[in-house]
Amino acid sequence: MHGEYKVPGGKLVVVDLEVREGRIADVHLAGDFFLEPDEALIDINRAVEGLSVETDAATIAAAVRAALPDGAQLLGFSPEAVGTVVRRALVTAPGWKHFSWEVVHDAPVSPRMNLALDEVLTARVGDGRRNPTLRLWEWNESAVVIGSFQSLRNEVDPDGAARHGYDVVRRISGGGAMMMGANAIITYSLYVPASLVAGMTFADSYAFLDDWALQALRSLGVEATYQPLNDISSPQGKIGGAAQKRLANGGVLHHATLSYDLDGEVMTEVLRIGREKLSDKGTVSAAKRVDPLRRQTGLPREQIIDRFISTFTTMYGATTGHITEEEYAEAEALVESKFATDAWLQRVP
């Protein structure tokens, strides 16, 4: 069995192993990481051998950590990465390059249509009717997008939203509210099969699916890092956040919204951002929490999006794709039956 795991911000970890009578055997760990002393590689392999095939990633990591000699240096990977790659080998999880990827950057649609397309395209990837896809959003009106489980009245000031021209919509994924001003953010959605993140913890999958985006940002001079669970940040402040939804048919939606040009004062008038949440993020001002990409890069929004597309295409061999007329029609029907209804918006009053 063979498994691979690219550590977000780190190195590639590879493992080959066998299974005998329900136990892991003949473990051979490899990769482009750094490890001192050399002999510690043998200790890691031996720590994994003999474990049950049902052992979870955390327990594998604990066994590896306990087996490491005093003073061992692991650079570019960790015992947790070993746990993840072993689990991925055991479930025969494929890597990014095992799939034929498409990149979609089509004409603007309404926020509700963008949300409906997320559900439609995720379901189609899960059913095998669409290749795994990266989609860059464009939209033609401003909106506040609240998480699936957020309270509408607790998150949004309706008077402030109306005054500043923001519609309010609800997405299918969890997480917090996002200000989506027209031409003021960069949002992308990944529609992937569950097999791509098999063997990973839910938390690890967030960083794994956004690692390419961090590389794109770093190529633009932004010192982007991932802050668990779902924040993309830099030394200047938070840039954006990610969210996920996993469908029963095996489709996984992972999307992220990054601030390009944000008026922090407008945000405080539209969103009800509590002091407890701000203090948890280490700041007292919502306006200072988010540091938009326009200021950090000095580049037009379109140029940043182009870099995102070129980075993803280069890394994973993606080709240009488009949303089909059938997919648009299915999304339009879903807007009418779900995303434009009070029942959906008010599902958590």
Side-chain angles (χ1 to χ4, degrees), residues 9 35 38 41 69 74 76 103 106 117 120 122 185 215 228 236 244 261 266 271 296 298 302 314 326 333:
L35 175 64
D38 286 358
L41 185 61
L74 285 67
V103 177
D106 283 345
L117 284 168
V120 168
T122 304
I185 62 160
Q215 294 194 45
Q236 285 71 42
Q244 283 187 17
D261 190 6
V266 171
L271 300 182
Q296 290 201 40
E302 294 75 15
T314 299
E326 183 181 8

Side-chain angles (χ1 to χ4, degrees), residues 219-251:
S219 75
L220 294 170
V222 178
E223 298 179 45
T225 57
Y226 213 84
Q227 303 296 323
L229 173 65
N230 61 336
D231 284 354
I232 297 175
S233 299
S234 76
Q236 285 71 42
K238 177 179 174 179
I239 297 171
Q244 283 187 17
K245 177 67 177 180
R246 303 191 178 200
L247 303 185
N249 72 349

Side-chain angles (χ1 to χ4, degrees), residues 40 60 91 107 158 170 177 201 232 235 238 240 243 259 276 301 338 347:
I60 296 170
V91 298
R170 185 186 295 275
T201 65
I232 297 175
K238 177 179 174 179
S259 293
E276 182 176 350
R301 175 178 173 274
K338 180 176 181 177
R347 70 186 294 262

Side-chain angles (χ1 to χ4, degrees), residues 3-344:
E4 297 184 5
Y5 176 56
K6 169 64 169 61
V7 179
K11 298 297 185 178
L12 179 67
V13 184
V14 181
V15 71
D16 291 282
L17 55 83
E18 301 291 336
V19 172
R20 299 194 186 106
E21 298 181 351
R23 299 284 171 179
I24 301 171
D26 293 342
V27 177
H28 298 281
L29 193 75
D32 59 357
F33 51 77
F34 299 91
L35 175 64
E36 293 290 343
D38 286 358
E39 294 76 16
L41 185 61
I42 297 173
D43 296 322
I44 293 174
N45 290 336
R46 287 175 176 170
V48 178
E49 290 183 357
L51 295 176
S52 166
V53 295
E54 303 298 328
T55 307
D56 62 23
T59 303
I60 296 170
V64 170
R65 184 173 286 105
L68 289 171
D70 291 342
Q73 299 287 316
L74 285 67
L75 302 177
F77 79 122
S78 65
E80 285 71 24
V82 177
T84 297
V85 75
V86 169
R87 287 305 317 163
R88 286 176 63 76
L90 291 169
V91 298
T92 60
W96 290 91
K97 294 184 179 180
H98 287 87
F99 299 100
S100 297
W101 291 92
E102 293 183 17
V103 177
V104 172
H105 187 206
D106 283 345
V109 294
S110 71
R112 288 184 177 86
M113 269 294 287
N114 273 311
L115 297 176
L117 284 168
D118 267 358
E119 185 166 339
V120 168
L121 300 182
T122 304
R124 284 175 173 256
V125 169
D127 289 341
R129 292 180 289 159
R130 164 173 275 278
N131 286 331
T133 300
L134 166 69
R135 180 172 73 95
L136 281 300
W137 291 27
E138 294 295 347
W139 63 105
N140 51 20
E141 60 187 81
S142 297
V144 175
V145 183
I146 62 175
S148 180
F149 309 107
Q150 287 191 295
S151 164
L152 176 62
R153 62 171 172 259
N154 288 344
E155 295 298 326
V156 182
D157 183 324
D159 294 334
R163 184 166 62 253
H164 292 287
Y166 280 81
D167 194 7
V168 183
V169 294
R170 185 186 295 275
R171 63 180 183 266
I172 63 173
S173 62
M178 301 299 296
M179 291 274 292
M180 297 184 61
N183 299 313
I185 62 160
I186 296 170
T187 293
Y188 60 83
S189 294
L190 278 167
Y191 315 107
V192 307
S195 59
L196 179 63
V197 293
M200 296 184 196
T201 65
F202 196 81
D204 284 344
S205 72
Y206 271 80
F208 177 77
L209 292 174
D210 278 332
D211 189 53
W212 68 272
L214 268 62
Q215 294 194 45
L217 289 170
R218 290 167 187 157
S219 75
L220 294 170
V222 178
E223 298 179 45
T225 57
Y226 213 84
Q227 303 296 323
L229 173 65
N230 61 336
D231 284 354
I232 297 175
S233 299
S234 76
Q236 285 71 42
K238 177 179 174 179
I239 297 171
Q244 283 187 17
K245 177 67 177 180
R246 303 191 178 200
L247 303 185
N249 72 349
V252 176
L253 164 65
H254 178 94
H255 48 194
T257 294
L258 312 180
S259 293
Y260 173 72
D261 190 6
L262 178 68
D263 187 327
E265 295 305 321
V266 171
M267 183 172 71
T268 61
E269 294 178 18
V270 174
L271 300 182
R272 301 186 191 277
I273 303 175
R275 291 183 179 179
E276 182 176 350
K277 184 172 183 178
L278 291 176
S279 64
D280 179 59
K281 300 295 184 180
T283 184
V284 295
S285 169
K288 294 179 180 178
R289 258 191 74 201
V290 181
D291 194 71
L293 292 174
R294 180 177 183 179
R295 190 188 72 79
Q296 290 201 40
T297 65
L299 298 173
R301 175 178 173 274
E302 294 75 15
Q303 191 169 335
I304 297 175
I305 290 175
D306 287 345
R307 182 60 61 87
F308 272 48
I309 292 173
S310 64
T311 298
F312 189 90
T313 300
T314 299
M315 290 178 66
Y316 306 130
T319 59
T320 300
H322 296 282
I323 298 168
T324 67
E325 291 302 319
E326 183 181 8
E327 290 166 339
Y328 274 125
E330 187 176 345
E332 288 171 353
L334 195 57
V335 168
E336 292 300 317
S337 65
K338 180 176 181 177
F339 289 100
T341 66
D342 283 341
W344 174 250

